[in-house]
Amino acid sequence: VRWEPVREYEDIAYEHDGEGIAKITICRPEVRNAFRPETLVEISDALVHAREDPSVGVIVLTGQGEDAFCSGGDQRVRGDTGYLSDSGAKASVGRFHVTDLQVQIRRLPKPVVAMVAGYAIGGGQVLHLICDLTIAADNARFGQTGPKVGSFDGGFGAGLLAQLVGFKKAKEIWFLCRQYDAEQALGMGLVNTVVPVAELEAETVAWCREMLELSPFALRLLKASFHAAEDGLSGIQQLAHDTNLLFYATDEAREGREAYREKRSPDFAQFPRRP
Ligand code: 1HA
């Protein structure tokens, strides 16, 4: 695959293959691809771009190199109020930018695939959890460190994990902070497949291309459907608004719009009351 850069960022690379795949790479290998606030703001910006770009059908999230997907929050910029940006007025006020990013990935109407080589640890493991699919290299290692480093993700980090691997295993992962290799992760349903690290990108691209052959709107509705019950009203909202997108194209909905524009009463009697 020939990846073409789309936009320049400091902490990430954002590239397209020109055939429907966007790839976002965390480029901080010196800290095992830990994220700082700026990293997350950049990922979020690239995701907006990939979402808006009609040529993109699938988004891959990964980390630079073979040592790590992501090791979570950069502990060097962790303050007493959250994670700190490195300059300006924002520097002194801590935030958890990852909160919004997790929701953004979950609501994004295109499949997001985590491509994991090496460590997916802490907040990095939660990032892979939130992706729709995970393709793991045989050197991948998963785990939580929260209780070791004085943190925890009780949101998707605990809840989604429990849905995937069951409550006992999820509690083990969080309460003992062990690491699990790729085969163990596959065994517990944490990842979709495991391949030799040298084949990781080719395999990920192959999975993406399979999805690109399929109906984008069906994939969109499926993603929304998977989350609708768990996400409550905001899940129903996504699914309902997606339905409304289709409803707008019907003669029945158009009649409502045209009647309003023409300042007349709508004639809905012409449409069947479906059984
Ligand atoms: O829990 C949350 C949140 C919860 C709610 C809301 C928001 C949240 C946001 C974030 C998080 C978290 O992510 S908390 C968990 C933070 N992450 C960790 O505790 C993982 C720390 N790292 C490790 O355990 C290990 O580095 C490793 C298992 C990923 C890799 O081990 P390895 O291969 O032995 O490498 P190591 O020598 O440890 O690391 C290489 C370099 O990278 C070291 O720097 P150096 O000594 O060369 O200067 C190491 O300090 C640095 N590094 C690795 N991970 C991080 C890091 N530096 C800062 N932050 C890191 N996360």
Side-chain angles (χ1 to χ4, degrees), residues 29-32 34-35 67-68 70-76 78 83 96 98-99 102 119 121-124 144-146 148-149 151-154 174 179:
E30 67 282 2
V31 285
R32 299 289 186 266
F35 51 75
D67 292 335
C70 175
S71 63
D74 187 332
Q75 298 303 297
R76 300 171 309 177
R78 175 173 155 184
Y83 291 87
F96 286 149
V98 85
T99 308
Q102 291 171 357
Y119 291 105
I121 297 283
Q144 281 306 331
T145 61
K148 247 191 212 170
V149 298
S151 182
F152 69 99
D153 184 339
W174 275 101
Q179 289 180 5

Side-chain angles (χ1 to χ4, degrees), residues 6-7 9 12-16 22-24 39-61 97 100-112 220 223:
V6 179
R7 273 187 186 176
Y9 293 100
I12 66 166
Y14 174 49
E15 301 159 296
H16 285 183
K23 184 169 79 162
I24 298 170
T39 319
L40 300 171
V41 169
E42 290 181 4
I43 294 172
S44 178
D45 186 74
L47 285 172
V48 168
H49 186 279
R51 176 184 177 161
E52 298 294 331
D53 187 335
S55 75
V56 171
V58 182
I59 300 156
V60 173
L61 180 63
H97 289 81
D100 297 336
L101 183 68
Q102 291 171 357
V103 172
Q104 186 183 3
I105 293 173
R106 191 164 169 94
R107 296 293 294 276
L108 206 144
K110 299 175 180 179
V112 182
R220 176 192 181 105
K223 180 162 174 174

